[in-house]
Amino acid sequence: MPSLQDLLHNVVVGGGKRYVRVGLALLAVVLVLGLYNLRAFRNMGTQEAMDAAQLARNIAQGKGYTTLFIRPFSMHLLTQRNKAKEGAPAEGNVADPAQIRGMHPDLANPPVYPVVLAGLLKVCGFDYAITTTQTFWSNSGRFWRYKPDFVIALFNQLLFLAAITLVFFLARRLFDPAVAWLASGLMLGTELFWRFAASGQSTMLLLVIFLGLVWCVVLLEEEARAAKWGPLGIIILAALAGVVIGLGGLTRYAFGWLIIPVVAFVIVFGGRRRVVLGLITLAAFIVVMAPWVARNYHVSGKPFGTATYSVVETTMAYPENRLQRSLDPDLGHIPLMAYWMKLNTNLRQIVTNELPKLGGSWITAFFLVGLLVGFRKLAITRLRFFLLGCGVVLVFAQALGRTQLSEESPEINSENLLVLLAPLVLVYGVSLFYLLLEQMRLPFLEMRYIVIGLFSLLACLPMIFVFLPPRPAPVAYPPYYPPAIQMVAGWLKEKEMAMSDIPWAVAWYGQRQCVWLTLRCKHDVKDPNTHEDFFAINDYQKPINALYLTPQTMDARFLSQWIRAGEQSWGSFILESMVKKKVPDDFPLSESQAGWLPEQLVLTDFQRWRKAP
């Protein structure tokens, strides 16, 4: 039996030192994970997260790829497509070309993340009702945390830890263990990644997929220089790269643009069979994407559903979210200048605001300077070329695909594609830091560790501030307050429909079909041919049984969003209702429970709160 002295010697000098380092790293990960969730977790606060979650629940419950969040633009695409087909769909004996009387097909989300979430929700078997009795989920008898939101965030945090692991082994392969440990540690301490993980969006899954793609590229480049796996090895890697890009494209459509730098990289650095390998990569990508594109085209007539027109959103023709809320948009007369203005405006914002903080901290500066540094290892230099190519493609894809989602949540949104490059930016930035450190004349050896500690401390300052007072509440209000949403939704029967300015939240928390607030609340007498109002749905598609408006609308800008919007706007409707203390006579929803105004407005067709949910 070894003595205590032998054990200590093994830990300090022998092979046990490695296990101690790994054990301390795991302990640090667990501590950061637990403390972050106690201090900084917030319930879902973005449209994308709630939309994906409610879609995943429908899949888990066997309802197919259908959504409770109804976009008027999605209704338009389905109506146009079904009218072109023979035998328009019907619900019972009533024609239903917009497919809202039953379950509405989802046309907005690619399938990978919702399907993954569906598996998680299926395994967990949640009770989606809010609890105010259990201590962690409530605070002094009040709602505090929503359990499904927390579990989804925890799942994404585990994906984040998987991404850190991939970065560690990649950095160790390309550089050395010191760069690997520091880069992965700084990634763990980057607050931007934690906010993305806690948001419930698909970014962490996409980050894992992107790092998998980087691994494919690195291995393919090495195999092209010195074959180790035989003649089929490089072919398998090229095909795998195409498959991974396809999976990324089915997680977020804009990711598919990375097929351009990947194929270019393969053709330039793929060796003697470079052209064939490039074609194999492209073919594998198309094979993965084709079935889903065919499904979208069959259902809606568009290859990517509503996302096909993301380039049109926030242009001067359709500013803000007007396109998604349009029942009858005119998409045939959009001038080319509108696209140029969108590209120019968004490129300027990306270059001035987002690129300088690409890595989530000031370490981006080290990466940018490191672009001028030559590396002895050929794989590092070539991967840097690949990273730059991905950056250029993603900048243009993000600029053209930017929608109102980026305005409502400027940093934490599904349209932030540049965050995918941040881990590699960290790795290259850390490598330059070590290169400079080696050239520094330090008075004593231990000073080296002090410099590394100060570097790490400064890089992780935003994360450190998270653990300092004050402690923010986990409730993402305004405008999302799940108990209120569940109360209003509970007044409706399962197949009844509401209208709201936050329909994604009603769909997720309330589990009721909800259509996005139309552009107008009543007909325009000057233009009787318009079909963008409440009555176009209520009278001809499906009755709307409740209207739920939150501070998203109630706290809108008075002049630009209420007065100048015209007499048919919801702002005018709210003003008239509050001044006269009653809704307009021709509006079918006239009952209102006391206590909601002025922050929220809830109208129903009868006093539903007097009935049991």
Side-chain angles (χ1 to χ4, degrees):
M1 182 175 180
S3 64
L4 178 60
Q5 184 177 0
D6 293 333
L7 291 175
L8 291 176
H9 181 272
N10 186 50
V11 168
V12 175
V13 181
K17 185 177 180 180
R18 175 185 177 186
Y19 297 105
V20 171
R21 182 182 297 175
V22 173
L24 291 175
L26 291 176
L27 179 61
V29 168
V30 172
L31 285 175
V32 172
L33 182 67
L35 290 175
Y36 184 86
N37 285 326
L38 285 174
R39 293 286 306 179
F41 168 77
R42 297 196 81 197
N43 297 304
M44 288 183 183
T46 61
Q47 171 186 324
E48 309 101 291
M50 285 177 261
D51 189 18
Q54 63 87 22
L55 175 57
R57 182 178 54 205
N58 288 342
I59 298 171
Q61 293 176 347
K63 298 178 181 177
Y65 206 81
T66 58
T67 180
L68 295 173
F69 167 24
I70 311 298
R71 297 168 173 82
F73 183 51
S74 176
M75 295 171 58
H76 165 76
L77 292 182
L78 286 170
T79 300
Q80 295 297 314
R81 180 62 172 170
N82 288 326
K83 285 182 177 179
K85 294 180 180 178
E86 293 184 3
E91 186 72 16
N93 296 323
V94 180
D96 186 24
Q99 295 181 243
I100 61 172
R101 291 185 175 271
M103 294 302 294
H104 187 76
D106 185 85
L107 302 179
N109 298 283
V112 170
Y113 184 61
V115 170
V116 171
L117 274 191
L120 174 69
L121 299 181
K122 187 75 172 179
V123 170
C124 293
F126 287 119
D127 176 10
Y128 293 95
I130 288 172
T131 177
T132 56
T133 56
Q134 300 175 2
T135 53
F136 184 75
W137 312 113
S138 62
N139 183 20
S140 301
R142 296 181 294 109
F143 168 78
W144 201 240
R145 297 180 181 91
Y146 189 54
K147 186 183 296 185
D149 284 1
F150 183 82
V151 173
I152 291 173
L154 186 61
F155 170 72
N156 280 279
Q157 288 167 354
L158 294 178
L159 289 175
F160 173 45
L161 298 180
I164 293 176
T165 305
L166 289 173
V167 167
F168 173 82
F169 287 107
L170 180 65
R172 193 176 69 171
R173 185 184 188 93
L174 294 175
F175 296 94
D176 55 57
V179 172
W181 279 106
L182 185 56
S184 56
L186 293 181
M187 188 174 174
L188 180 67
T190 301
E191 190 248 355
L192 177 66
F193 291 125
W194 283 98
R195 281 195 287 156
F196 266 108
S199 70
Q201 298 176 18
S202 61
T203 300
M204 285 301 112
L205 177 60
L206 196 66
L207 184 59
V208 171
I209 293 174
F210 177 73
L211 291 172
L213 175 63
V214 172
W215 267 100
C216 289
V217 167
V218 169
L219 294 176
L220 188 147
E221 188 274 336
E222 292 179 354
E223 188 69 14
R225 282 189 290 112
K228 299 178 182 178
W229 298 346
L232 290 179
I234 196 168
I235 294 176
I236 293 174
L237 287 172
L240 185 59
V243 170
V244 172
I245 302 172
L247 288 176
L250 294 179
T251 304
R252 197 172 297 170
Y253 289 130
F255 187 91
W257 287 110
L258 289 184
I259 190 64
I260 297 174
V262 170
V263 170
F265 185 90
V266 171
I267 291 176
V268 173
F269 301 116
R272 292 176 299 174
R273 294 180 291 177
R274 59 186 68 189
V275 176
V276 174
L277 294 176
L279 293 175
I280 290 173
T281 302
L282 180 61
F285 167 72
I286 293 173
V287 167
V288 173
M289 292 288 295
W292 185 252
V293 171
R295 175 264 181 190
N296 285 334
Y297 188 83
H298 174 73
V299 174
S300 67
K302 308 300 174 185
F304 303 104
T306 58
T308 307
Y309 294 94
S310 59
V311 68
V312 178
E313 295 189 60
T314 67
T315 61
M316 59 184 182
Y318 287 96
E320 298 180 339
N321 48 34
R322 289 182 63 89
L323 180 61
Q324 295 295 331
R325 294 168 56 194
S326 297
L327 277 167
D328 190 19
D330 182 9
L331 298 170
H333 301 86
I334 301 176
L336 291 177
M337 181 58 66
Y339 302 111
W340 167 249
M341 290 178 62
K342 177 178 181 177
L343 177 63
N344 183 46
T345 301
N346 292 338
L347 276 179
R348 184 184 307 171
Q349 182 172 348
I350 290 172
V351 171
T352 56
N353 295 332
E354 299 183 31
L355 279 179
K357 50 184 180 180
L358 178 60
S361 70
W362 51 268
I363 296 181
T364 306
F366 277 77
F367 166 73
L368 295 175
V369 174
L371 295 177
L372 304 176
V373 177
F375 292 97
R376 295 179 181 177
K377 199 170 183 180
L378 194 58
I380 298 176
T381 301
R382 290 180 173 180
L383 181 61
R384 185 170 58 183
F385 292 149
F386 172 72
L387 181 60
L388 290 174
C390 290
V392 172
V393 170
L394 292 180
V395 162
F396 279 90
Q398 183 169 320
L400 284 172
R402 189 183 183 95
T403 69
Q404 187 65 17
L405 296 174
S406 298
E407 302 298 328
E408 294 178 355
S409 180
E411 198 167 28
I412 309 301
N413 60 76
S414 61
E415 296 167 355
N416 187 342
L417 301 174
L418 294 177
V419 72
L420 301 177
L421 306 178
L424 292 181
V425 168
L426 275 176
V427 171
Y428 276 92
V430 168
S431 70
L432 178 63
F433 165 75
Y434 270 111
L435 185 63
L436 297 176
L437 184 62
E438 294 296 332
Q439 300 176 10
M440 293 177 63
R441 294 183 178 180
L442 302 175
F444 49 90
L445 181 62
E446 289 75 10
M447 188 67 182
R448 174 186 176 91
Y449 301 105
I450 296 176
V451 173
I452 295 174
L454 289 174
F455 177 81
S456 304
L457 180 67
L458 291 174
C460 298
L461 272 179
M463 187 68 173
I464 295 172
F465 288 140
V466 169
F467 301 109
L468 300 178
R471 178 184 178 183
V475 181
Y477 184 84
Y480 308 109
Y481 190 60
I485 297 171
Q486 283 202 356
M487 178 185 294
V488 174
W491 296 342
L492 303 178
K493 296 178 182 179
E494 184 177 358
K495 292 189 176 182
E496 291 181 324
M497 187 171 71
M499 177 177 283
S500 176
D501 51 1
I502 53 168
W504 47 88
V506 177
W508 170 232
Y509 293 116
Q511 299 189 62
R512 290 295 183 268
Q513 194 179 60
C514 190
V515 63
W516 205 342
L517 199 67
T518 52
L519 296 177
R520 302 179 181 89
C521 62
K522 53 186 176 181
H523 296 296
D524 187 351
V525 294
K526 297 179 181 179
D527 187 3
N529 294 320
T530 57
H531 303 284
E532 305 285 4
D533 54 72
F534 173 93
F535 295 96
I537 299 175
N538 183 75
D539 293 355
Y540 303 106
Q541 302 274 5
K542 182 178 180 178
I544 297 171
N545 304 103
L547 174 69
Y548 177 47
L549 302 182
T550 69
Q552 189 102 333
T553 299
M554 303 296 289
D555 199 26
R557 292 187 293 273
F558 180 79
L559 179 62
S560 60
Q561 293 183 289
W562 281 19
I563 301 301
R564 288 181 177 171
E567 296 181 359
Q568 291 76 37
S569 71
W570 289 100
S572 176
F573 175 88
I574 294 169
L575 284 175
E576 183 178 351
S577 301
M578 295 184 72
V579 171
K580 296 182 179 180
K581 296 185 177 180
K582 69 172 187 176
V583 300
D585 294 334
D586 60 343
F587 198 74
L589 306 178
S590 58
E591 299 294 336
S592 177
Q593 186 186 37
W596 293 92
L597 290 171
E599 292 188 13
Q600 302 183 72
L601 175 64
V602 180
L603 298 175
T604 59
D605 46 2
F606 61 90
Q607 295 183 0
R608 290 174 171 264
W609 51 89
R610 296 187 181 277
K611 296 180 62 177

